[in-house]
Amino acid sequence: MSFATCDICDANEGKIATNELSVVPPIFMRFGKTSKFSGQAVTLKVFEDNVLVRSTLETPGNGQVLVIDGGGSFRCALVGGNLAALGEKNGWSGIIVHGCIRDVDEINQCNIGVRAMASMPLRSAKHGGGMKNLLINIAGVAIHPGDWIYADIDGVLVARHALI
């Protein structure tokens, strides 16, 4: 995979001005062996419950990026080592969590890119709540299902259309 988010920003300044390309504020930490990933977004909105996260990662990822709006909660983790391994096994390019993860050592052994706000050892509830494939908003950036996500060591971008 050959791209740099800095180069994408430089080459698409007009798209930034029109919100066709957005830069997610630097709120995420990097996890997983893959520091650079891209793909179309599959969006989830959950709160302190990861049943929908698991069921989504159990499906073929086909190089997509799972973007989870967990409400920015620091009270529990939405993704752990088992779910990261499941995402890797099923062909997901990356996982972005607007919330927390756990099992950092296990996630860092997986060949998948993971971004999250923090690590938290407490697991989430298992009630089955949440919604899939809807417009979400993370740190002021709107993310639609099918938007293109580009993530590397410099940051995370969201584009309405493929840019590379």
Side-chain angles (χ1 to χ4, degrees):
M1 187 172 316
S2 181
F3 70 86
T5 56
C6 293
D7 293 341
I8 292 171
C9 286
D10 292 351
N12 293 281
E13 288 178 352
K15 288 184 171 121
I16 292 171
T18 62
N19 290 322
E20 292 175 74
L21 174 63
S22 299
V23 181
V24 178
I27 61 172
F28 295 117
M29 298 172 61
R30 288 184 293 121
F31 302 96
K33 281 187 176 180
T34 305
S35 62
K36 182 183 293 193
F37 60 90
S38 66
Q40 287 188 278
V42 172
T43 60
L44 300 181
K45 186 171 185 73
V46 300
F47 190 72
E48 298 179 359
D49 183 327
N50 76 347
V51 171
L52 186 57
V53 175
R54 173 177 285 282
S55 66
T56 301
L57 290 170
E58 287 174 340
T59 65
N62 301 315
Q64 297 175 104
V65 177
L66 181 60
V67 185
I68 305 163
D69 178 359
S73 174
F74 287 107
R75 298 192 312 191
C76 66
L78 295 172
V79 173
N82 291 337
L83 293 187
L86 189 61
E88 175 188 8
K89 174 185 163 203
N90 288 326
W92 291 85
S93 175
I95 303 168
I96 298 175
V97 183
H98 185 227
C100 295
I101 61 158
R102 68 186 215 156
D103 302 320
V104 171
D105 285 339
E106 292 175 32
I107 289 174
N108 286 340
Q109 295 305 309
C110 294
N111 287 312
I112 191 168
V114 177
R115 300 292 186 275
M117 296 174 67
S119 174
M120 162 51 105
L122 184 63
R123 70 180 175 186
S124 74
K126 311 279 189 239
H127 301 296
M131 295 178 283
K132 184 175 182 178
N133 288 327
L134 69 160
L135 170 66
I136 60 174
N137 190 299
I138 295 178
V141 175
I143 304 170
H144 300 83
D147 281 354
W148 285 84
I149 306 295
Y150 300 95
D152 67 7
I153 59 175
D154 287 311
V156 177
L157 307 178
V158 179
R160 297 292 301 154
H161 306 284
L163 298 176
I164 58 169

